[in-house]
Coordinates of all heavy atoms in Angstrom, one line a residue:
M11 N 14.7 18.4 -22.6 CA 15.1 17.1 -22.5 C 15.1 16.5 -21.1 O 15.0 15.3 -20.9 CB 16.6 16.9 -23.0 CG 16.7 17.0 -24.5 SD 15.7 15.8 -25.3 CE 16.8 15.0 -26.3
A12 N 15.1 17.5 -20.1 CA 15.0 17.0 -18.7 C 13.7 16.4 -18.4 O 13.6 15.5 -17.6 CB 15.2 18.2 -17.8
V13 N 12.6 16.8 -19.1 CA 11.3 16.2 -18.9 C 11.3 14.8 -19.4 O 10.7 13.9 -18.7 CB 10.2 17.1 -19.7 CG1 8.9 16.4 -19.6 CG2 10.2 18.5 -19.2
V14 N 11.9 14.5 -20.5 CA 12.0 13.1 -21.0 C 12.7 12.2 -20.0 O 12.3 11.1 -19.8 CB 12.6 13.1 -22.4 CG1 12.8 11.7 -22.9 CG2 11.9 13.9 -23.4
K15 N 13.8 12.7 -19.4 CA 14.6 11.9 -18.4 C 13.8 11.7 -17.2 O 13.7 10.5 -16.7 CB 15.9 12.7 -18.1 CG 16.7 11.8 -17.2 CD 18.1 12.4 -17.0 CE 19.0 11.5 -16.2 NZ 20.3 12.0 -16.0
I16 N 13.0 12.6 -16.8 CA 12.1 12.4 -15.6 C 11.0 11.4 -15.9 O 10.8 10.5 -15.1 CB 11.5 13.8 -15.1 CG1 12.6 14.7 -14.6 CG2 10.4 13.6 -14.1 CD1 12.1 16.1 -14.3
I17 N 10.4 11.5 -17.0 CA 9.4 10.5 -17.4 C 10.0 9.1 -17.5 O 9.4 8.2 -17.0 CB 8.7 10.9 -18.8 CG1 7.9 12.2 -18.5 CG2 7.8 9.8 -19.3 CD1 7.4 12.8 -19.8
L18 N 11.1 9.0 -18.1 CA 11.8 7.7 -18.3 C 12.2 7.1 -16.9 O 12.1 5.9 -16.7 CB 13.0 7.7 -19.2 CG 12.7 7.7 -20.7 CD1 14.0 7.9 -21.4 CD2 12.0 6.5 -21.1
T19 N 12.6 8.0 -16.0 CA 12.9 7.6 -14.7 C 11.7 7.0 -13.9 O 11.8 6.0 -13.2 CB 13.6 8.7 -13.9 OG1 14.8 9.2 -14.6 CG2 14.1 8.2 -12.5
V20 N 10.6 7.7 -14.0 CA 9.4 7.3 -13.4 C 8.9 6.0 -13.9 O 8.5 5.0 -13.2 CB 8.3 8.4 -13.5 CG1 6.9 7.8 -13.0 CG2 8.7 9.6 -12.7
V21 N 9.0 5.8 -15.3 CA 8.6 4.6 -15.9 C 9.6 3.4 -15.5 O 9.1 2.3 -15.2 CB 8.6 4.7 -17.5 CG1 8.4 3.4 -18.2 CG2 7.5 5.7 -17.9
F22 N 10.8 3.8 -15.3 CA 11.8 2.8 -14.9 C 11.5 2.3 -13.5 O 11.6 1.1 -13.2 CB 13.2 3.4 -15.0 CG 14.3 2.5 -14.7 CD1 14.7 1.5 -15.6 CD2 15.1 2.6 -13.5 CE1 15.7 0.6 -15.3 CE2 16.1 1.8 -13.3 CZ 16.5 0.8 -14.2
I23 N 11.1 3.2 -12.6 CA 10.8 2.8 -11.2 C 9.5 1.9 -11.2 O 9.5 0.9 -10.5 CB 10.6 4.0 -10.4 CG1 12.0 4.7 -10.2 CG2 10.0 3.7 -9.0 CD1 11.9 6.1 -9.6
I24 N 8.6 2.3 -12.0 CA 7.3 1.5 -12.1 C 7.6 0.1 -12.6 O 7.1 -0.9 -12.1 CB 6.2 2.2 -12.9 CG1 5.8 3.5 -12.2 CG2 5.1 1.3 -13.2 CD1 4.9 4.4 -13.1
I25 N 8.4 0.0 -13.6 CA 8.8 -1.3 -14.2 C 9.6 -2.1 -13.2 O 9.4 -3.3 -13.0 CB 9.5 -1.1 -15.5 CG1 8.6 -0.7 -16.6 CG2 10.2 -2.4 -15.9 CD1 9.2 -0.4 -17.9
S26 N 10.4 -1.5 -12.4 CA 11.2 -2.2 -11.4 C 10.3 -2.8 -10.3 O 10.5 -3.9 -9.9 CB 12.2 -1.2 -10.7 OG 13.1 -0.7 -11.7
V27 N 9.3 -2.0 -9.9 CA 8.4 -2.5 -8.8 C 7.5 -3.6 -9.4 O 7.4 -4.7 -8.8 CB 7.6 -1.3 -8.3 CG1 6.5 -1.9 -7.4 CG2 8.5 -0.3 -7.6
A28 N 7.0 -3.4 -10.6 CA 6.2 -4.5 -11.3 C 7.0 -5.7 -11.5 O 6.4 -6.8 -11.3 CB 5.6 -3.9 -12.6
L29 N 8.2 -5.6 -11.9 CA 9.0 -6.8 -12.2 C 9.3 -7.6 -10.8 O 9.2 -8.8 -10.8 CB 10.4 -6.4 -12.8 CG 11.3 -7.5 -13.3 CD1 10.6 -8.3 -14.4 CD2 12.5 -6.8 -13.9
T30 N 9.5 -6.8 -9.8 CA 9.7 -7.5 -8.5 C 8.5 -8.2 -8.1 O 8.5 -9.4 -7.6 CB 10.1 -6.4 -7.4 OG1 11.3 -5.7 -7.8 CG2 10.3 -7.1 -6.1
V31 N 7.3 -7.6 -8.2 CA 6.1 -8.2 -7.8 C 5.8 -9.5 -8.7 O 5.4 -10.5 -8.2 CB 4.9 -7.2 -7.9 CG1 3.5 -7.9 -7.7 CG2 5.1 -6.1 -6.9
I32 N 6.0 -9.4 -10.0 CA 5.8 -10.5 -10.9 C 6.7 -11.7 -10.5 O 6.2 -12.8 -10.5 CB 5.9 -10.1 -12.3 CG1 4.7 -9.2 -12.7 CG2 6.0 -11.3 -13.2 CD1 4.9 -8.5 -14.1
I33 N 7.9 -11.4 -10.3 CA 8.9 -12.5 -9.9 C 8.5 -13.2 -8.6 O 8.5 -14.4 -8.5 CB 10.3 -11.9 -9.9 CG1 10.8 -11.6 -11.3 CG2 11.2 -12.9 -9.2 CD1 12.1 -10.9 -11.4
L34 N 8.0 -12.3 -7.6 CA 7.6 -12.9 -6.4 C 6.3 -13.7 -6.5 O 6.1 -14.6 -5.7 CB 7.5 -11.9 -5.3 CG 8.8 -11.2 -4.9 CD1 8.5 -10.0 -3.9 CD2 9.7 -12.3 -4.2
M35 N 5.5 -13.5 -7.5 CA 4.2 -14.2 -7.6 C 4.4 -15.5 -8.3 O 3.5 -16.4 -8.2 CB 3.2 -13.3 -8.5 CG 2.7 -12.2 -7.8 SD 1.7 -11.1 -8.8 CE 0.4 -12.3 -9.4
Q36 N 5.6 -15.8 -9.0 CA 5.8 -17.0 -9.6 C 6.0 -18.1 -8.6 O 6.5 -18.0 -7.6 CB 7.0 -16.9 -10.6 CG 6.7 -16.0 -11.7 CD 7.9 -15.9 -12.7 OE1 8.8 -16.6 -12.6 NE2 7.8 -15.0 -13.6
E37 N 5.6 -19.4 -9.1 CA 5.8 -20.5 -8.3 C 7.2 -21.0 -8.4 O 8.0 -20.7 -9.3 CB 4.9 -21.6 -8.8 CG 3.4 -21.3 -8.6 CD 2.5 -22.5 -9.1 OE1 3.1 -23.5 -9.4 OE2 1.3 -22.3 -9.1
S38 N 7.6 -21.8 -7.4 CA 8.9 -22.4 -7.4 C 9.1 -23.4 -8.5 O 8.2 -24.1 -8.9 CB 9.2 -23.1 -6.0 OG 10.4 -23.8 -6.0
K39 N 10.3 -23.5 -9.0 CA 10.5 -24.4 -10.2 C 10.9 -25.8 -9.7 O 11.1 -26.7 -10.5 CB 11.7 -23.9 -11.1 CG 11.3 -22.6 -11.7 CD 10.2 -22.7 -12.7 CE 9.9 -21.3 -13.3 NZ 8.6 -21.3 -14.0
S40 N 11.1 -26.0 -8.4 CA 11.4 -27.4 -7.9 C 10.2 -28.3 -8.0 O 9.2 -28.0 -7.3 CB 12.0 -27.3 -6.5 OG 11.0 -26.8 -5.6
A41 N 10.3 -29.3 -8.7 CA 9.2 -30.3 -8.9 C 9.3 -31.4 -7.8 O 8.3 -32.2 -7.7 CB 9.1 -30.8 -10.3
G42 N 10.4 -31.5 -7.1 CA 10.5 -32.6 -6.2 C 10.7 -33.9 -6.8 O 11.2 -34.0 -7.9
L43 N 10.3 -35.0 -6.2 CA 10.5 -36.3 -6.7 C 9.5 -36.7 -7.7 O 9.7 -37.6 -8.5 CB 10.4 -37.3 -5.5 CG 11.4 -37.3 -4.5 CD1 11.2 -38.3 -3.3 CD2 12.8 -37.5 -5.1
G44 N 8.5 -35.9 -8.0 CA 7.5 -36.2 -9.0 C 8.1 -36.0 -10.4 O 7.6 -36.7 -11.3
A45 N 9.1 -35.2 -10.6 CA 9.7 -35.0 -11.8 C 10.5 -36.2 -12.3 O 10.7 -36.5 -13.5 CB 10.6 -33.8 -11.8
I46 N 11.0 -37.0 -11.3 CA 11.8 -38.2 -11.6 C 10.9 -39.2 -12.1 O 11.3 -39.9 -13.1 CB 12.6 -38.6 -10.3 CG1 13.5 -37.6 -9.9 CG2 13.3 -40.0 -10.6 CD1 14.2 -37.9 -8.6
A47 N 9.8 -39.4 -11.6 CA 8.8 -40.4 -12.0 C 8.0 -40.0 -13.2 O 7.2 -40.8 -13.8 CB 7.9 -40.8 -10.9
G48 N 8.1 -38.8 -13.7 CA 7.4 -38.4 -14.9 C 6.0 -37.8 -14.5 O 5.2 -37.6 -15.4
A49 N 5.8 -37.5 -13.3 CA 4.5 -36.9 -12.9 C 4.4 -35.5 -13.3 O 3.3 -34.9 -13.1 CB 4.4 -37.0 -11.4
A50 N 5.4 -34.9 -13.8 CA 5.3 -33.4 -14.2 C 4.6 -33.3 -15.5 O 4.3 -32.2 -16.0 CB 6.7 -32.9 -14.3
D51 N 4.2 -34.4 -16.2 CA 3.6 -34.4 -17.5 C 2.1 -34.3 -17.2 O 1.3 -35.2 -17.8 CB 4.0 -35.6 -18.3 CG 4.3 -35.2 -19.7 OD1 4.4 -34.0 -20.0 OD2 4.5 -36.1 -20.5
T52 N 1.6 -33.4 -16.5 CA 0.1 -33.3 -16.2 C -0.5 -32.3 -17.1 O 0.2 -31.8 -18.0 CB -0.1 -32.9 -14.7 OG1 0.5 -31.6 -14.6 CG2 0.6 -33.8 -13.8
Y53 N -1.8 -32.1 -17.0 CA -2.5 -31.2 -17.8 C -1.9 -29.8 -17.7 O -1.7 -29.1 -18.6 CB -4.0 -31.2 -17.4 CG -4.8 -30.1 -18.1 CD1 -5.2 -30.2 -19.4 CD2 -5.1 -28.9 -17.5 CE1 -5.9 -29.3 -20.1 CE2 -5.8 -27.9 -18.1 CZ -6.2 -28.1 -19.4 OH -6.9 -27.1 -20.1
W54 N -1.6 -29.4 -16.5 CA -1.1 -28.0 -16.2 C 0.3 -27.9 -16.8 O 0.7 -26.8 -17.2 CB -1.1 -27.7 -14.7 CG -2.5 -27.6 -14.2 CD1 -3.2 -28.5 -13.4 CD2 -3.5 -26.6 -14.5 NE1 -4.4 -28.1 -13.2 CE2 -4.7 -26.9 -13.9 CE3 -3.5 -25.5 -15.4 CZ2 -5.8 -26.2 -14.0 CZ3 -4.7 -24.7 -15.5 CH2 -5.8 -25.1 -14.8
G55 N 1.1 -29.0 -16.8 CA 2.4 -28.9 -17.4 C 2.4 -28.8 -18.9 O 3.2 -28.1 -19.5
K56 N 1.4 -29.4 -19.5 CA 1.3 -29.3 -21.0 C 0.7 -28.0 -21.4 O 1.1 -27.5 -22.5 CB 0.4 -30.5 -21.5 CG 1.1 -31.9 -21.3 CD 0.1 -32.9 -21.8 CE 0.7 -34.3 -21.6 NZ -0.2 -35.4 -22.0
N57 N -0.2 -27.4 -20.7 CA -0.8 -26.2 -21.0 C -0.3 -25.0 -20.2 O -1.1 -24.1 -19.9 CB -2.3 -26.3 -20.9 CG -2.9 -27.3 -21.8 OD1 -2.6 -27.3 -23.0 ND2 -3.8 -28.2 -21.3
K58 N 1.0 -25.0 -19.9 CA 1.5 -24.0 -19.1 C 1.5 -22.6 -19.7 O 1.4 -21.6 -19.0 CB 3.0 -24.4 -18.7 CG 3.5 -23.7 -17.5 CD 4.7 -24.3 -17.0 CE 5.0 -23.8 -15.6 NZ 6.1 -24.5 -15.0
G59 N 1.5 -22.5 -21.0 CA 1.5 -21.2 -21.7 C 0.2 -20.5 -21.6 O 0.1 -19.3 -21.6
R60 N -0.9 -21.3 -21.3 CA -2.2 -20.7 -21.2 C -2.6 -20.4 -19.8 O -3.7 -19.9 -19.5 CB -3.2 -21.5 -21.9 CG -3.0 -21.6 -23.4 CD -4.1 -22.4 -24.0 NE -3.6 -23.2 -25.1 CZ -3.9 -24.4 -25.3 NH1 -4.8 -25.0 -24.7 NH2 -3.3 -25.0 -26.3
S61 N -1.8 -20.9 -18.8 CA -2.1 -20.8 -17.4 C -1.6 -19.4 -16.8 O -1.0 -18.6 -17.5 CB -1.5 -21.9 -16.6 OG -0.1 -21.8 -16.6
M62 N -1.9 -19.2 -15.6 CA -1.5 -18.0 -14.9 C 0.0 -18.0 -14.8 O 0.7 -16.9 -15.0 CB -2.1 -18.0 -13.5 CG -1.7 -16.8 -12.7 SD -2.5 -15.3 -13.4 CE -2.3 -14.2 -12.0
E63 N 0.6 -19.1 -14.6 CA 2.1 -19.2 -14.5 C 2.7 -18.8 -15.9 O 3.7 -18.1 -15.9 CB 2.5 -20.6 -14.1 CG 4.0 -20.8 -13.9 CD 4.6 -20.0 -12.7 OE1 3.8 -19.6 -11.8 OE2 5.8 -19.7 -12.8
G64 N 2.2 -19.3 -16.9 CA 2.6 -19.0 -18.3 C 2.5 -17.5 -18.6 O 3.4 -16.9 -19.2
M65 N 1.5 -16.9 -18.1 CA 1.3 -15.5 -18.3 C 2.3 -14.7 -17.5 O 2.9 -13.7 -18.0 CB -0.1 -15.0 -17.9 CG -0.4 -13.6 -18.2 SD -2.0 -13.0 -17.6 CE -1.7 -13.0 -15.8
L66 N 2.6 -15.1 -16.3 CA 3.6 -14.5 -15.5 C 5.0 -14.6 -16.1 O 5.8 -13.6 -16.0 CB 3.6 -15.0 -14.1 CG 2.4 -14.7 -13.2 CD1 2.5 -15.5 -11.9 CD2 2.3 -13.2 -13.0
V67 N 5.3 -15.7 -16.7 CA 6.6 -15.9 -17.4 C 6.7 -14.9 -18.6 O 7.8 -14.3 -18.8 CB 6.8 -17.4 -17.8 CG1 8.0 -17.5 -18.7 CG2 7.0 -18.2 -16.6
K68 N 5.7 -14.8 -19.4 CA 5.7 -13.9 -20.5 C 5.8 -12.4 -20.1 O 6.6 -11.7 -20.6 CB 4.4 -14.1 -21.3 CG 4.3 -15.3 -22.1 CD 3.0 -15.5 -22.8 CE 2.9 -16.9 -23.4 NZ 1.6 -17.1 -24.0
L69 N 5.1 -12.1 -19.0 CA 5.2 -10.7 -18.5 C 6.6 -10.4 -17.9 O 7.1 -9.3 -18.1 CB 4.1 -10.5 -17.4 CG 2.7 -10.2 -17.8 CD1 1.8 -10.1 -16.6 CD2 2.7 -8.9 -18.6
T70 N 7.2 -11.4 -17.3 CA 8.5 -11.3 -16.8 C 9.5 -10.9 -17.9 O 10.4 -10.1 -17.8 CB 9.0 -12.5 -16.0 OG1 8.0 -12.8 -15.0 CG2 10.4 -12.3 -15.4
R71 N 9.4 -11.7 -19.0 CA 10.3 -11.5 -20.1 C 10.1 -10.1 -20.7 O 11.1 -9.4 -21.0 CB 10.0 -12.5 -21.2 CG 10.5 -13.9 -20.9 CD 10.2 -14.9 -21.9 NE 10.6 -16.2 -21.5 CZ 10.1 -17.3 -21.9 NH1 9.1 -17.3 -22.8 NH2 10.5 -18.5 -21.5
I72 N 8.9 -9.7 -20.9 CA 8.6 -8.4 -21.4 C 9.1 -7.2 -20.5 O 9.8 -6.3 -21.0 CB 7.1 -8.1 -21.6 CG1 6.6 -9.1 -22.8 CG2 6.7 -6.7 -21.9 CD1 5.1 -9.1 -22.9
F73 N 8.9 -7.3 -19.2 CA 9.4 -6.3 -18.3 C 10.9 -6.3 -18.2 O 11.5 -5.2 -18.0 CB 8.7 -6.5 -16.9 CG 7.4 -5.9 -16.8 CD1 6.3 -6.6 -16.3 CD2 7.1 -4.6 -17.3 CE1 5.0 -6.1 -16.2 CE2 5.8 -4.1 -17.2 CZ 4.8 -4.8 -16.7
V74 N 11.6 -7.5 -18.3 CA 13.0 -7.5 -18.2 C 13.6 -6.8 -19.5 O 14.6 -6.0 -19.3 CB 13.5 -9.0 -18.1 CG1 15.0 -9.1 -18.4 CG2 13.2 -9.5 -16.7
I75 N 13.0 -7.0 -20.6 CA 13.5 -6.4 -21.8 C 13.3 -4.9 -21.7 O 14.2 -4.1 -22.0 CB 12.8 -6.9 -23.1 CG1 13.2 -8.4 -23.3 CG2 13.0 -6.1 -24.3 CD1 12.4 -9.1 -24.4
L76 N 12.1 -4.4 -21.3 CA 11.9 -3.0 -21.1 C 12.8 -2.4 -20.0 O 13.3 -1.3 -20.2 CB 10.5 -2.7 -20.6 CG 9.4 -2.9 -21.7 CD1 8.0 -2.8 -21.1 CD2 9.5 -1.8 -22.8
F77 N 13.1 -3.1 -19.0 CA 14.0 -2.7 -17.9 C 15.4 -2.5 -18.5 O 16.0 -1.4 -18.2 CB 14.0 -3.8 -16.8 CG 14.9 -3.4 -15.7 CD1 14.5 -2.7 -14.6 CD2 16.3 -3.9 -15.6 CE1 15.3 -2.4 -13.6 CE2 17.1 -3.6 -14.6 CZ 16.6 -2.8 -13.5
I78 N 15.9 -3.4 -19.3 CA 17.2 -3.3 -19.8 C 17.3 -2.1 -20.8 O 18.3 -1.4 -20.8 CB 17.7 -4.6 -20.5 CG1 17.9 -5.7 -19.4 CG2 19.0 -4.5 -21.3 CD1 18.1 -7.1 -19.9
V79 N 16.3 -2.0 -21.7 CA 16.3 -0.9 -22.7 C 16.3 0.4 -22.0 O 17.1 1.3 -22.3 CB 15.2 -1.1 -23.7 CG1 15.0 0.1 -24.5 CG2 15.4 -2.4 -24.5
I80 N 15.4 0.6 -21.0 CA 15.3 1.9 -20.4 C 16.5 2.2 -19.6 O 17.0 3.3 -19.5 CB 14.0 2.0 -19.5 CG1 12.8 2.0 -20.5 CG2 14.0 3.2 -18.7 CD1 11.4 1.9 -19.8
A81 N 17.1 1.2 -18.9 CA 18.3 1.4 -18.2 C 19.5 1.8 -19.1 O 20.3 2.7 -18.7 CB 18.7 0.1 -17.5
A82 N 19.5 1.2 -20.3 CA 20.6 1.6 -21.2 C 20.4 3.1 -21.7 O 21.3 3.9 -21.9 CB 20.6 0.7 -22.4
V83 N 19.1 3.4 -22.0 CA 18.8 4.8 -22.5 C 19.1 5.8 -21.4 O 19.6 6.9 -21.7 CB 17.3 4.9 -23.0 CG1 16.9 6.3 -23.2 CG2 17.1 4.1 -24.2
L84 N 18.7 5.5 -20.2 CA 19.0 6.4 -19.1 C 20.5 6.6 -18.8 O 20.9 7.6 -18.3 CB 18.3 6.0 -17.8 CG 16.8 6.3 -17.8 CD1 16.1 5.6 -16.5 CD2 16.5 7.7 -17.8
N85 N 21.3 5.5 -19.1 CA 22.7 5.6 -18.9 C 23.4 6.4 -19.9 O 24.6 6.8 -19.7 CB 23.2 4.2 -18.8 CG 24.6 4.1 -18.1 OD1 24.9 4.9 -17.3 ND2 25.3 3.1 -18.5
M86 N 22.8 6.6 -21.1 CA 23.5 7.4 -22.1 C 23.5 8.8 -21.7 O 22.7 9.3 -21.0 CB 22.7 7.2 -23.4 CG 22.8 5.9 -24.0 SD 21.8 5.9 -25.6 CE 21.8 4.2 -25.9
S87 N 24.5 9.5 -22.2 CA 24.7 11.0 -21.8 C 24.0 11.9 -22.8 O 24.4 13.0 -23.1 CB 26.2 11.3 -21.8 OG 26.8 10.5 -20.8
I88 N 22.8 11.5 -23.3 CA 22.1 12.3 -24.3 C 21.1 13.3 -23.6 O 20.6 14.2 -24.3 CB 21.4 11.5 -25.4 CG1 20.4 10.5 -24.7 CG2 22.4 10.8 -26.3 CD1 19.6 9.7 -25.7
F89 N 20.9 13.1 -22.3 CA 19.9 14.0 -21.6 C 20.7 15.0 -20.8 O 21.5 14.9 -20.1 CB 19.0 13.2 -20.7 CG 18.1 12.2 -21.5 CD1 18.3 10.8 -21.3 CD2 17.2 12.6 -22.4 CE1 17.5 9.9 -22.0 CE2 16.4 11.7 -23.0 CZ 16.5 10.4 -22.8

């Protein structure tokens, strides 16, 4: 069982580093004064799910879920 704990710890560290990098790659959410006038309704705003920013948001959600699950498993006293 010690091997499983070591493998999960290594995966946990890799996910932590990847999550940090993905969060730092994301753009700022402040739209400035353009959001007041409705300028945020551009092509990139409507197709955000297909853009690089949309992919980063999806990856962030996946890695956060994996981070929480692995942290909970490592915190259990089964190893």
Side-chain angles (χ1 to χ4, degrees):
M11 287 304 238
V13 175
V14 175
K15 186 171 184 176
I16 291 171
I17 292 171
L18 282 177
T19 304
V20 170
V21 171
F22 186 71
I23 292 170
I24 291 170
I25 288 175
S26 300
V27 171
L29 189 60
T30 304
V31 170
I32 289 172
I33 289 173
L34 289 174
M35 286 176 60
Q36 292 182 7
E37 294 179 8
S38 175
K39 298 294 180 193
S40 62
L43 294 177
I46 297 172
D51 226 9
T52 63
Y53 173 77
W54 294 110
K56 292 179 182 176
N57 294 314
K58 199 167 197 172
R60 293 185 219 139
S61 66
M62 180 70 163
E63 182 69 22
M65 184 185 70
L66 289 174
V67 169
K68 290 176 188 175
L69 281 175
T70 303
R71 289 179 184 153
I72 291 169
F73 280 130
V74 166
I75 291 169
L76 286 173
F77 180 86
I78 292 171
V79 168
I80 293 176
V83 169
L84 285 173
N85 198 27
M86 293 180 189
S87 300
I88 57 175
F89 298 114

